[in-house]
Amino acid sequence: MAAQQVRDAFVELYGTEPEGLWAAPGRVNLIGEHTDYNDGFVMPFALPHTAVAAVARRTDGVLRLHSADVEGGVVELRVEDLTPETDRGWTAYPAGVVWALREAGHPVTGADVHLASTVPAGAGLSSSAALEVVVALALNDLYALGLKGWQLARLCQRAENVYVGAPVGIMDQTASACCTEGHALFLDTRHLSQKQIPFDLAAEGMRLLVVDTQVKHEHSTGEYGKRRAGCEKGAALLGVDALRDIPHGELDAALERLGDEEEVRRLVRHVVTEDARVERVVALLESGETRAIGPVLTEGHASLRDDFRISCPELDLVVDTALGAGALGARMTGGGFGGSAIVLAEAGDVEAITKAVEEAFAAAGFTAPRVFEAVPAAGARRLGPG
C-alpha cells in the first residue's frame, strides 16, 4: 500500500509514470558505536521501516525532488550546479547522492524523485542513510551503473561527509544497502568485509525493543565532530592509523602513553573496548549463547555514557528502568545526544518493561517515548516497475 501511494503521488506531482519503485531501510545498531570512523567493527541490522522512492530519469540536467514527509512543493535543482554544503535542508541528502555519483564519473543527467519514509527522523535509526541509499540504488538501476551495495554505501557516505557536511562513518549506509532479513551484519569498516550473522530472537523466546526517546539529535552539529577529532588525535598520539589498531590486550599500556590527555584517554578506551564487545557478541551469537549478549550491551551503554559522554537523561532512564524491570540488557544506539535505546528482553517481560519505561518517563516529565519491536529486515531493494 505504501509503495502504491508513493507511485500515485509521483504521477500526481510529475504527470507521468515513474520508471520504478525502490526501498531502503533504517537500521538499529546492535553493538559497535562510534567504531566505524575508527576503522573498527560494527553490528547493525535493518529495520522494517523504510524510505521508498519513485524515480524517473531526466536527460536535461534537472533534478526534481519531493518528499511526502516535509511541507512544501517540488524542489528543482540543476545537477551541474550542485555544490557541497550549500543546502541545509532535507534535499541535501538525495542531491548529495547525485553530486557524489557525478563526481565519481557516473553519467547521471537528472531525475524526478518522490520520497516517503517510515524511518523516524532524529531517532538514531539512520533516516538520512535510508534516503541516500534508496536514491543511490534507484539511479544505479536506472542508469545501469553496475555498482555493488558496498560501493553505493561508500558514495552515500561521501555525499553525507562532503555534500551535507556530517562526519559520519560507513556503517549506516552499508547497513541500509547490504543487510539481509533475519540477520545482523558483522562489518569490518576498514576492509568492508561482511558476515551475515543469524539473529532470530523470536525463535528463542526473546525480543529486541527500540525505545525512541523523542529527543532529536543531529550528526552535523559540533559534538559528534569533536568526538571524531578526539579519536583521530588519539590515533596520532599513539602512532597508529586508527584506533582499531590498538589491541584490547594493550589498552592499559596505550592509555599510560597518553599521559594527562584525559579526554582523549576516555575516547580511546571506549573505542578499543567497544571493538572487543562487537567481537564478543559475534562469538556468543555464533555459539548459540544469545541471552549472554545482554550484559555486553549494557557494558556498551556504560562506556558510551561515561567514556564517550554522548548519552542523555532520557537514554539513561530507559536503560536503568528496563534493567530494573527485568531486561537482559539495554543500551543507547546511534550517534548519541538523544535518539533511541535498545532493550533485549524475554518475550514474556516485554509488556512489563514497556509499561515501566513509559511510567518512568511520565514521572520524570519527559515526552512519552515510542516503543516498538525491532525485527531484522531486508536491505535496500527494488520494489517493482512504476
Side-chain angles (χ1 to χ4, degrees), residues 20-382:
L21 293 161
W22 291 262
R27 65 97 189 95
V28 159
N29 192 23
L30 183 63
I31 192 74
E33 220 65 80
H34 288 266
T35 49
D36 59 345
Y37 55 78
N38 289 291
D39 281 4
F41 306 123
V42 295
M43 199 172 186
F45 63 86
L47 288 169
H49 307 70
T50 60
V52 176
V55 185
R57 287 168 291 180
R58 296 181 67 96
T59 59
D60 58 0
V62 172
L63 175 65
R64 295 196 292 183
L65 303 169
H66 186 268
S67 170
D69 309 305
V70 181
E71 288 189 13
V74 173
V75 176
E76 185 169 313
L77 305 166
R78 293 201 61 81
V79 296
E80 62 187 25
D81 295 335
L82 298 177
T83 305
E85 295 197 59
T86 57
D87 183 353
R88 294 300 177 189
W90 73 269
T91 53
Y93 298 98
V97 169
V98 174
W99 169 83
L101 285 167
R102 285 173 55 83
E103 191 204 36
H106 301 295
V108 177
T109 56
D112 287 338
V113 181
H114 173 62
L115 293 151
S117 180
T118 57
V119 185
L125 303 176
S126 298
S127 58
S128 59
L131 281 184
E132 293 159 355
V133 171
V134 75
V135 171
L137 181 61
L139 296 175
N140 183 54
D141 287 354
L142 291 177
Y143 283 95
L145 303 180
L147 299 170
K148 304 293 187 184
W150 66 270
Q151 293 172 305
L152 293 176
R154 275 282 197 218
L155 285 163
C156 290
Q157 182 200 16
R158 179 159 177 75
E160 193 155 350
N161 287 169
V162 179
Y163 195 88
V164 178
V168 300
I170 191 65
M171 174 181 66
D172 296 351
Q173 292 84 1
T174 305
S176 186
C178 301
C179 279
T180 62
E181 186 174 358
H183 294 78
L185 177 68
F186 177 37
L187 173 67
D188 179 334
T189 66
R190 169 171 285 171
H191 304 296
L192 295 188
S193 60
Q194 302 178 16
K195 187 175 185 180
Q196 302 288 347
I197 308 294
F199 191 57
D200 184 359
L201 293 177
E204 300 186 60
M206 287 175 284
R207 300 289 186 271
L208 190 76
L209 301 178
V210 175
V211 183
D212 177 2
T213 65
Q214 307 285 348
V215 178
K216 303 302 182 187
H217 75 159
E218 178 55 67
H219 273 166
S220 54
T221 53
E223 290 301 318
Y224 186 100
K226 286 179 186 177
R227 301 305 189 279
R228 181 165 185 164
C231 290
E232 291 168 352
K233 180 180 180 181
L237 289 171
L238 293 168
V240 293
D241 290 336
L243 293 182
R244 179 258 185 70
D245 296 314
I246 305 296
H248 186 257
E250 298 175 16
L251 174 59
D252 289 344
L255 295 178
E256 282 290 320
R257 288 164 55 200
L258 291 172
D260 60 359
E261 292 276 358
E262 182 54 35
E263 182 178 359
V264 175
R265 283 164 56 91
R266 287 191 288 99
L267 298 178
V268 170
R269 183 165 53 231
H270 166 72
V271 172
V272 175
T273 58
E274 186 79 346
D275 272 335
R277 280 187 285 273
V278 177
E279 293 183 299
R280 284 165 62 197
V281 168
V282 171
L284 288 167
L285 291 177
E286 290 189 324
S287 64
E289 300 174 77
T290 305
R291 281 173 176 79
I293 75 171
V296 187
L297 303 184
T298 305
E299 284 176 30
H301 182 77
S303 183
L304 289 162
R305 180 192 65 210
D306 300 336
D307 278 342
F308 231 66
R309 299 188 181 179
I310 59 171
S311 189
C312 66
E314 291 85 350
L315 288 167
D316 292 340
L317 184 60
V318 174
V319 171
D320 294 343
T321 303
L323 293 173
L328 297 167
R331 74 172 191 89
M332 60 155 286
T333 187
F337 312 106
S340 299
I342 56 174
V343 177
L344 180 68
E346 302 287 357
D349 294 335
V350 165
E351 187 174 342
I353 291 169
T354 301
K355 185 171 185 283
V357 169
E358 290 172 345
E359 289 178 348
F361 268 57
F366 295 152
T367 300
R370 177 181 179 223
V371 184
F372 60 92
E373 183 182 349
V375 179
R381 58 212 181 268
R382 185 166 186 163

